[in-house]
Amino acid sequence: MPSVTGPAQPGRAPARPEAAERPVPAGYRAVFAVPEFRAVFAAHLLSSLGVVVCEIALSLLVFDLTESPLLSALTFALGLLPYVVGGTLLSAVADRYPARAVLVVCDVLCALAAAGMVAPRAPIALLLVLRCLTAAIAPVFAGTRAGTLGDILGEGELFVLGRSVIRIVNQGAQLAGFAAGGLLLAVVPPRAVLALTACTFVASALLLRLGTRARPARATARGALLGASLAGTRRLLADRRIRALLLLAWLPPAFVVVPEALLIPYGDLLGTGPAGLGLLLCSMPIGAIAAESLVGAFLTPRARARLTFPMGLFAVLPSLGFAAGPSLGWAVALLVLTGTGISYNFGVDRWFVAAVPEELLGQAMTVMQAGRMTIMGLAMALGGAAAAFAPLRVVMPAAGVVGAVCVLAVIFEARRTAGGARRTAAGGAVPARGLPGRNGGPASGTES
């Protein structure tokens, strides 16, 4: 079936001739009309559920073995902190090697790590090391997959919608994964659940190997992987336009997770019980899934681009409402509204892929994901530390105040850099496609 892929790029799959001759289905239907994307979607669904269930099962296993809340909580923290390692020291992997091979190897390594956790006499230190390994692999996998979407869907409207589907899966996996993990752990021991997650990674690897086609690596340069990763990261951060878009991708989530990280003590403050706490924890993903689906399905590319800056700012504002000490119902409403801010990513994705050099696309997406998760982890830690010295009704809205100031500054910088050009390996420049105009919308209403 036809798909819109944009003009052919070096290392990219060329647009199929029939795409220009047949009508293209609108919205998400166009994305799922591409067979390779369906394989990527199914693989991502399996691996995302596996990651969430693995986190729950491993945390419970560590607690059962040690009876230490600290070590149990550390298994969750280790899901974020190693992102900076994989996202900087290994980021060049995404462009240096064929994407399909990288994705399959990452899934196989995660499967082996989950299988290692099943060993009956595995020491706690080994369990935590294996958790770090999967977390370090995660940004490489995510960046490579994002680059693969550019190969499969092109860099225009379908790429943006494909990224949207991936975000919907991420949010949905939180809801379904916690529910499935809880049900499984009520019936079978944690090690059996970990064995099941290893199977999900294997299934994901098979889907990617059999459902996507082999493509050559983007980058042709050789040399030390570490040096190439650091050099590529420095090159990305040295570009003012790319740096502004990275900050725009990183900062709103960082301030959004501060109130989310404090929901357990806030629920305790309200005396909600387990049911109320579960409702609080589900509220933000529900808002995110609803907004992502509606914006992607019903708004035009121009309208979504115009929402980027307003929604990026709006995402941090509902936390101001916690200054009033809202009841359970109002707290749920504030969190749902916060989740809707995820829709700002449509514009960020479109502008970012247009600004990044072709040969660094996979690495750039890896850096974006690693930076986002690392900064979110640091923000959660800082929010928790602040809550040890100040009331929740001060700390939670303070994140909104500081966040609004920081996001406004980044928006100003992103608007100033909107007229940039896309760099190539040869050092030349081509007009940047899909960049926003000074009014926050795209320079053109059409996709290149």
Side-chain angles (χ1 to χ4, degrees):
M1 296 184 71
S3 66
V4 177
T5 59
Q9 296 287 339
R12 296 282 175 96
R16 286 172 283 181
E18 66 269 22
E21 300 170 2
R22 300 179 185 174
V24 178
Y28 291 115
R29 286 190 301 129
V31 178
F32 284 101
V34 181
E36 281 189 277
F37 178 80
R38 294 198 295 268
V40 172
F41 167 80
H44 181 55
L45 182 61
L46 284 173
S47 61
S48 296
L49 288 172
V51 167
V52 174
V53 173
C54 180
E55 288 177 348
I56 301 170
L58 183 60
S59 180
L60 181 59
L61 177 61
V62 169
F63 184 76
D64 287 344
L65 294 173
T66 65
E67 296 185 354
S68 168
L70 174 61
L71 288 175
S72 179
L74 186 60
T75 61
F76 278 101
L78 290 176
L80 293 177
L81 298 180
Y83 264 76
V84 70
V85 177
T88 54
L89 304 185
L90 302 176
S91 57
V93 169
D95 295 311
R96 175 173 286 202
Y97 302 102
R100 188 177 69 176
V102 172
L103 293 174
V104 171
V105 169
C106 285
D107 265 337
V108 170
L109 289 175
C110 287
L112 291 174
M117 297 173 189
V118 179
R121 291 186 175 83
I124 299 300
L126 176 61
L127 295 177
L128 297 181
V129 167
L130 292 174
R131 181 72 186 98
C132 287
L133 174 64
T134 59
I137 291 170
V140 177
F141 182 89
T144 306
R145 183 188 57 226
T148 297
L149 290 183
D151 295 331
I152 295 171
L153 303 174
E155 298 172 2
E157 176 66 0
L158 290 194
F159 175 82
V160 173
L161 290 174
R163 289 272 293 166
S164 171
V165 171
I166 296 299
R167 288 193 296 271
I168 292 173
V169 170
N170 290 338
Q171 297 294 327
Q174 289 187 43
L175 300 177
F178 281 122
L183 290 174
L184 286 170
L185 289 167
V187 179
V188 296
R191 283 194 171 91
V193 176
L194 288 170
L196 182 61
T197 63
C199 294
T200 65
F201 289 121
V202 171
S204 174
L206 288 173
L207 281 168
L208 292 169
R209 176 62 180 82
L210 301 176
T212 62
R213 69 183 182 85
R215 293 179 173 85
R218 288 185 187 83
T220 57
R222 289 294 178 261
L225 177 62
L226 175 60
S229 297
L230 294 176
T233 301
R234 285 195 299 268
R235 180 179 169 192
L236 291 169
L237 295 178
D239 186 289
R240 185 177 178 184
R241 173 63 174 169
I242 295 174
R243 188 170 62 245
L245 293 174
L246 283 172
L247 289 172
L248 188 58
W250 293 344
L251 288 184
F255 291 103
V256 161
V257 298
V258 173
E260 186 179 28
L262 299 175
L263 287 181
I264 291 178
Y266 191 78
D268 182 66
L269 186 66
L270 294 179
T272 59
L277 178 59
L279 185 59
L280 287 172
L281 292 172
C282 291
S283 298
M284 200 177 293
I286 288 173
I289 292 171
E292 189 87 34
S293 303
L294 293 173
V295 171
F298 296 108
L299 295 187
T300 64
R302 178 182 290 274
R304 291 197 294 266
R306 289 184 182 278
L307 278 178
T308 301
F309 295 149
M311 292 307 294
L313 177 61
F314 175 78
V316 304
L317 296 180
S319 61
L320 298 176
F322 284 96
S327 63
L328 176 62
W330 284 109
V332 166
L334 290 173
L335 293 168
V336 170
L337 287 174
T338 300
T340 63
I342 196 174
S343 56
Y344 91 101
N345 283 291
F346 282 100
V348 176
D349 281 344
R350 183 182 179 189
W351 303 337
F352 189 70
V353 75
V356 169
E358 165 65 26
E359 70 279 6
L360 290 180
L361 179 60
Q363 184 170 4
M365 302 305 292
T366 302
V367 170
M368 175 188 275
Q369 177 72 358
R372 178 187 286 124
M373 299 301 289
T374 302
I375 292 176
M376 285 171 62
L378 292 174
M380 293 170 72
L382 290 174
F389 300 98
L392 293 176
R393 62 185 302 172
V394 173
V395 176
M396 296 168 84
V401 174
V402 177
V405 173
C406 293
V407 173
L408 280 172
V410 172
I411 287 174
F412 178 75
E413 177 67 6
R415 290 171 66 92
R416 283 172 58 90
T417 60
R422 183 177 190 171
R423 262 63 63 187
T424 65
V430 295
R433 292 172 291 170
L435 296 179
R438 293 296 178 185
N439 60 358
S444 170
T446 61
E447 294 288 346
S448 298

